[in-house]
Amino acid sequence: MDLVSIIGTILAFVVIILGTILKGSTVGALWNAAAFVIVFAGTAAALLVQTQGKVLRHAFKMLKMIYRPPQHQPGDLISRIVGWSEISRRQGLLGLEPQIEAEPDPFVSKGLQLLVDGGEPEAIRSVLEVDLETREAIDLAGAKVYEMAGIYSPTLGIIGAVMGLMAVMQNLADPSKLGHGIAAAFVATIYGVALANLFMLPMAARLKGLISKQTRMREILIEGLVSIAQGDNPRQIEARLQGYLA
């Protein structure tokens, strides 16, 4: 678990609640059913109109990456690649076959399979780069769902505020209804702005950063496998891949 992300999420709620109390209001004032429906359901509706179902499903699956991010250790990956190159020099490319079955990452196992099958270096690079670009595009589309939610929610907050003020204007003769209408107006604004700036936009940025690291790891892997296919010396491969760490 990523403790920093968990603390950040908890702190976001604490900031809103504590800020409300310090301003002399009550926690109960933060709840308004009408504002909730307008902002949260409205944002969801906008996303449903804009985004394909499979992209939305993938975006939901990616949510766990924020709190349980994949481990990106380029140094460890380089060590593994150098180990594979040493095996291939001693036993030939077929010596890497046991590594395929033990590899949990489908991208890595596919690359090793291409290598064991005797693929030409450029053919291996071409196949893996297509996979890399496809996966990156799919993941970025998922991250964009959260980014767009961060764009839509403040606008829905403004819509909620306007609707609350409309209710106020329609009931000026009834003072008992003025407070409810004004509360709905301000709470909707809080929901929209807080949802965007404390949750959706930071989540989108976090996911993009993780996607970038994942892409870099796969670039290292591709370069390493191509180098092994070319028969490069393990020390040369290590020196070349170390450039990705600079």
Side-chain angles (χ1 to χ4, degrees):
M1 297 291 287
D2 185 9
L3 186 60
V4 174
S5 296
I6 294 173
I7 292 173
T9 302
I10 295 172
L11 187 59
F13 285 103
V14 171
V15 165
I16 296 173
I17 295 172
L18 187 60
T20 301
I21 294 172
L22 291 176
K23 285 292 185 179
S25 186
T26 63
V27 176
L30 289 174
W31 170 249
N32 186 281
F36 184 90
V37 170
I38 292 168
V39 174
F40 287 86
T43 300
L47 292 175
L48 288 171
V49 172
Q50 173 190 315
T51 313
Q52 292 181 332
K54 61 181 180 180
V55 176
L56 279 174
R57 288 192 295 270
H58 184 62
F60 288 133
K61 291 179 182 178
M62 291 177 67
L63 186 61
K64 65 182 180 181
M65 290 175 59
I66 297 173
Y67 301 103
R68 197 182 293 274
Q71 296 300 312
H72 297 124
Q73 302 293 340
D76 292 346
L77 177 59
I78 291 173
S79 297
R80 292 172 63 198
I81 293 171
V82 172
W84 296 337
S85 68
E86 291 172 346
I87 292 173
S88 69
R89 288 177 70 85
R90 291 195 308 267
Q91 306 175 24
L93 293 176
L94 289 176
L96 294 173
E97 201 160 15
Q99 306 292 326
I100 299 173
E101 298 177 358
E103 182 54 54
D105 188 336
F107 187 83
V108 177
S109 60
K110 181 175 183 177
L112 286 171
Q113 186 65 63
L114 291 170
L115 191 60
V116 170
D117 289 344
E120 292 295 324
E122 288 309 310
I124 293 174
R125 183 188 298 277
S126 177
V127 171
L128 293 180
E129 283 183 347
V130 169
D131 274 16
L132 183 151
E133 291 171 1
T134 302
R135 172 52 57 185
E136 184 180 24
I138 291 171
D139 288 343
L140 286 174
K144 191 174 181 180
V145 170
Y146 296 97
E147 185 176 20
M148 296 312 298
I151 293 174
Y152 294 140
S153 59
T155 304
L156 269 297
I158 294 173
I159 292 174
V162 172
M163 293 174 70
L165 292 176
M166 287 171 59
V168 171
M169 300 301 293
Q170 291 173 349
N171 293 281
L172 288 177
D174 187 355
S176 64
K177 296 183 179 180
L178 296 182
H180 180 76
I182 295 173
F186 286 109
V187 172
T189 304
I190 292 173
Y191 283 173
V193 175
L195 180 63
N197 293 284
L198 292 177
F199 298 101
M200 295 295 109
L201 294 178
M203 285 180 176
R206 172 72 163 158
L207 288 172
K208 286 182 179 180
L210 292 171
I211 293 166
S212 177
K213 289 181 179 179
Q214 183 82 338
T215 299
R216 177 54 59 90
M217 292 285 286
R218 288 173 174 164
E219 288 174 347
I220 293 173
L221 177 69
I222 293 172
E223 191 62 38
L225 293 177
V226 169
S227 298
I228 294 173
Q230 293 173 163
D232 292 348
N233 183 282
R235 302 283 76 80
Q236 292 177 333
I237 295 174
E238 183 176 19
R240 183 182 301 122
L241 298 182
Q242 287 291 337
Y244 283 92
L245 304 181

